[in-house]
Amino acid sequence: MTSSLFEITGHTRFLAIVADPIHHVKTPQRINELVRAHGIDAVMVPLHVSEADLPRVMNALRGMQNFFGCVVTVPHKTSAVALCDEVSDEARQIGAVNVVHRMPDGRLRGAMLDGIGFVDGLRGAGIDPAGRSVYLAGAGGAASAIAFALVQAGVARITVANRSVDRAVSLVGRLRQAHPAIDVSVGTSDPAGHDIVVNATSLGLRPGDALPFDATRLDAKQIVAEIIMDPAETALLAAARARGCRVHEGAPMLASQIRHMAAFMLDQPMPAVPARAGAPA
């Protein structure tokens, strides 16, 4: 039997995921599986970092010469932009990053992969967003990335709803500036009248969280999608399923971008892992 353990040495490249809370993250497991499959001497660990401590932690990582990069998740995606020395054009447009690479001189370069991961996850489940109307709950980093990716995927209409209306207005304005022809508006807590309903907020991570919108307005013709991975079935998805909706869990968004995250952090190509002999395709 092959051991699942691997040795960490002074040559091992250190990767991290930065989040608050941290209990729900699945990225370390997936990244560590991937680098082991490729025989890469690297390891990812979770770092529980508060919003107040984020600048101090990111600055400290600059000085760690065996640190190669980190995944940045809730609630740090927007704040991390200002802590990077350079970011991709897409990340600057979105106003958020979810992956950072430490360059040899200690500078930090950020990018945003959530949007393409979410859209690829939908398509992998046989859900093509092209030509459909989308209700998007949230206006933070992940929501912004998803909104821009959905526009690129050819959606017909997007309605953005957020507890802070100012943030929804800001996202709608950025979408209109980048894509003047897109039909985009600020919405309310009512998701009725849309083909795909997306929760791109952090509501659902903690027991007792409120629902991100009025789930009683859902109907069986709608698809309800999450970005939260743990729990796999959030209170929102349970409510949507009870109303006859097709539901789409959060895990595919991560699965669709893991290889791209690893390639960005390690600054090297990361080909797909071939299926093992006897393993299902």
Side-chain angles (χ1 to χ4, degrees), residues 29-40 255 258-260 262-263 266 268-277 279-281:
Q29 298 94 306
R30 304 289 85 80
I31 292 287
N32 289 330
E33 288 170 2
L34 182 64
V35 295
R36 277 179 292 194
H38 283 296
I40 295 169
I258 281 293
R259 184 161 54 93
H260 301 292
L266 295 169
Q268 68 178 72
M270 192 68 57
V273 179
R276 300 185 306 275

Side-chain angles (χ1 to χ4, degrees), residues 39-81:
I40 295 169
D41 188 4
V43 64
M44 173 175 273
V45 299
L47 300 181
H48 190 177
V49 180
S50 71
E51 290 188 80
D53 289 331
L54 182 66
R56 199 158 47 241
V57 170
M58 295 297 285
N59 192 52
L61 292 172
R62 293 174 183 275
M64 298 181 186
Q65 295 184 35
N66 62 340
F67 170 72
F68 275 68
C70 62
V71 170
V72 180
T73 190
V74 177
H76 302 312
K77 295 179 184 183
T78 302
S79 302
V81 174

Side-chain angles (χ1 to χ4, degrees), residues 30-182:
R30 304 289 85 80
I31 292 287
N32 289 330
E33 288 170 2
L34 182 64
V35 295
R36 277 179 292 194
H38 283 296
I40 295 169
D41 188 4
V43 64
M44 173 175 273
V45 299
L47 300 181
H48 190 177
V49 180
S50 71
E51 290 188 80
D53 289 331
L54 182 66
R56 199 158 47 241
V57 170
M58 295 297 285
N59 192 52
L61 292 172
R62 293 174 183 275
M64 298 181 186
Q65 295 184 35
N66 62 340
F67 170 72
F68 275 68
C70 62
V71 170
V72 180
T73 190
V74 177
H76 302 312
K77 295 179 184 183
T78 302
S79 302
V81 174
L83 302 176
C84 292
D85 298 289
E86 59 182 73
V87 299
S88 66
D89 290 341
E90 181 182 36
R92 190 168 301 283
Q93 187 180 55
I94 292 166
V97 300
N98 78 325
V99 64
V100 173
H101 169 62
R102 180 194 180 274
M103 293 179 274
D105 61 2
R107 290 183 303 132
L108 302 179
R109 181 174 73 235
M112 172 50 85
L113 302 173
D114 272 345
I116 188 63
F118 180 79
V119 170
D120 283 355
L122 284 180
R123 288 173 172 156
I127 303 167
D128 187 353
R132 300 200 187 189
S133 61
V134 177
Y135 175 96
L136 180 68
S144 297
I146 289 168
F148 276 87
L150 287 169
V151 172
Q152 293 289 341
V155 297
R157 175 168 63 100
I158 298 180
T159 299
V160 178
N162 194 64
R163 287 174 293 181
S164 169
V165 176
D166 287 348
R167 295 188 75 181
V169 170
S170 174
L171 174 53
V172 166
R174 283 181 282 130
L175 286 167
R176 285 177 176 158
Q177 183 175 16
H179 303 279
I182 186 66

Side-chain angles (χ1 to χ4, degrees), residues 175-189:
L175 286 167
R176 285 177 176 158
Q177 183 175 16
H179 303 279
I182 186 66
D183 182 355
V184 57
S185 60
V186 175
T188 67
S189 62

